[in-house]
Amino acid sequence: MAAFKELVFSGVQPTGNLHLGNYLGAITKFVALQETHDCIYCVVDLHAITVPQDPETLRSSIREVTAAFIACGIDPKKHIVFNQSQVPEHAELAWVFNCVARLGWLNRMTQFKEKAGKDRENASVGLYAYPALMAADILVYRATHVPVGEDQKQHLELARDIAQKFNNDLGPSIAAHGFGEAFFPQPEPLIQGPATRVMSLRDGTKKMSKSDPSDYSRINLTDDADAIAQKVRKAKTDPEPLPSEEAGLAARPEADNLVGIYAALSDASREDVLRQFGGAQFSTFKASLVDLAVAKLGPIGSEMKRLTADPAAIDAILADGSERASAIARKTMDSVKDILGFVRR
Ligand code: AMP
Ligand code: TRP
């Protein structure tokens, strides 16, 4: 396959409480990749409206996710931070991809099935087409690497299928326009480490999620030390002490989850954590986990509060990022139009 310049892209929806799962599964990876790659990080507001949103809440969530990116250590000057709706090429390429993706492919998407629930007839068309928009987000920059949590794996596979079908279907035109044998790269998911799927603190078999009605199910990035301590103390566990080896976590989802969280927060492996805490009671382990989580998340929460107090400054960051993102996206879209046979100015 043709060689593409390595470029990182990822997105987070501005839909309420950013939590420890978003942080460990995605945002910490975004931060680390800045050292080795050019990165584009997007607040995906077009994705958010696939389900109903209150306009004022949406506006403040867009600013809050932006603040979280920056508070966690993303540098919006060296890299690009912006919100999706300011770069219309996302929606434009998504339409093209709606015409590339097959109904059969979208019918397999488990996230749609979960989110649409029983009343599928009443789900928005946007919720169904969501993965084609996600593919457009990535491919409008011809990005090659996509850090995400485990739940996005299937959507990434679909993005690869769309890229490949576009490259195949339009092969001769792609070559005729000087792009060799492939116009789009096959974007690679980066799903690594001990916390690619952080589970609910109330139920170790359910994903930690922004929309869980129980706030005790998750640790929010804006939780203060008291809230973090309470939630960890109340987190569901089983009566056994911690095992000293990973195999001992097998049928213990809550224990596995807390050990995974501890490992990710301390940049260690589950094995390292069990070497330290094997044989300990949960009360001891939870006390250490509270200290660790407060030390890591406390400063992020206060920095987010400081940043969101100045919405104009956040909007300026998004405007600057959008301008730089647009320059890349426009170029891709011009080429896509040429390849498809559209007449353009
Ligand atoms: P979302 O909030 O759905 O836009 O997700 C933003 C990012 O966080 C995506 O890369 C997700 O895969 C990741 N993510 C969301 N929930 C979790 C979780 N419980 N564990 C790990 N990663 C997650
Ligand atoms: N669908 C992703 C989520 O819910 C968010 C997202 C939208 C995304 N576009 C993306 C992630 C592009 C990575 C790349 O978590």
Side-chain angles (χ1 to χ4, degrees), residues 10 79 85 119 168 215 246 289:
S10 195
H79 300 274
S85 60
D119 192 9
N168 287 345
D215 202 49
E246 242 190 299
L289 181 54

Side-chain angles (χ1 to χ4, degrees), residues 103-323:
L103 283 177
W105 300 359
L106 288 169
N107 285 338
R108 284 198 288 273
M109 295 295 114
T110 55
Q111 184 175 296
F112 174 75
K113 290 180 203 167
E114 276 163 25
K115 285 200 179 172
K118 287 199 183 74
D119 192 9
R120 202 180 286 193
E121 294 288 306
N122 197 35
S124 75
V125 175
L127 188 66
Y128 184 71
Y130 175 119
L133 176 60
M134 178 162 161
D137 297 339
I138 301 163
L139 294 170
V140 85
Y141 304 99
R142 301 209 278 168
T144 55
H145 292 81
V146 185
V148 281
E150 162 74 30
D151 61 344
Q152 296 302 313
K153 191 164 179 239
Q154 195 184 33
H155 289 158
L156 255 296
E157 278 158 15
L158 189 90
R160 294 167 67 89
D161 290 343
I162 289 176
Q164 188 170 11
K165 185 163 165 55
F166 182 95
N167 288 339
N168 287 345
D169 291 356
L170 291 150
S173 183
I174 289 170
H177 284 90
F179 293 106
E181 41 185 79
F183 180 71
F184 288 120
Q186 294 270 293
E188 224 177 276
L190 301 174
I191 305 174
Q192 287 145 355
T196 58
R197 189 175 174 81
V198 176
M199 308 309 276
S200 157
L201 299 181
R202 310 295 292 169
D203 177 351
T205 64
K206 256 176 54 187
K207 195 177 68 170
M208 184 178 286
S209 132
K210 289 170 176 170
S211 57
D212 193 311
S214 166
D215 202 49
Y216 276 94
S217 69
R218 65 182 159 257
I219 294 175
N220 302 307
L221 290 188
T222 48
D223 282 345
D224 60 20
D226 283 347
I228 294 174
Q230 272 203 31
K231 288 175 179 183
V232 171
R233 269 190 228 115
K234 288 205 169 158
K236 188 176 169 197
T237 49
D238 56 43
E240 303 295 315
L242 284 158
S244 16
E245 281 170 25
E246 242 190 299
L249 293 171
R252 301 174 65 186
E254 284 84 14
D256 182 59
N257 189 39
L258 294 181
V259 170
I261 290 172
Y262 194 102
L265 282 173
S266 59
D267 217 357
S269 66
R270 277 182 170 71
E271 268 169 39
D272 295 333
V273 177
L274 294 178
R275 213 168 293 131
Q276 190 184 344
F277 289 98
Q281 297 297 325
F282 272 106
S283 50
T284 314
F285 176 66
K286 280 180 167 181
S288 295
L289 181 54
V290 168
D291 291 344
L292 178 61
V294 168
K296 285 274 171 180
L297 302 183
I300 294 173
S302 23
E303 182 63 3
M304 280 174 69
K305 279 200 193 87
R306 195 185 67 78
L307 291 165
T308 45
D310 186 357
I314 293 184
D315 295 1
I317 289 168
L318 291 173
D320 170 67
S322 298
E323 225 167 275

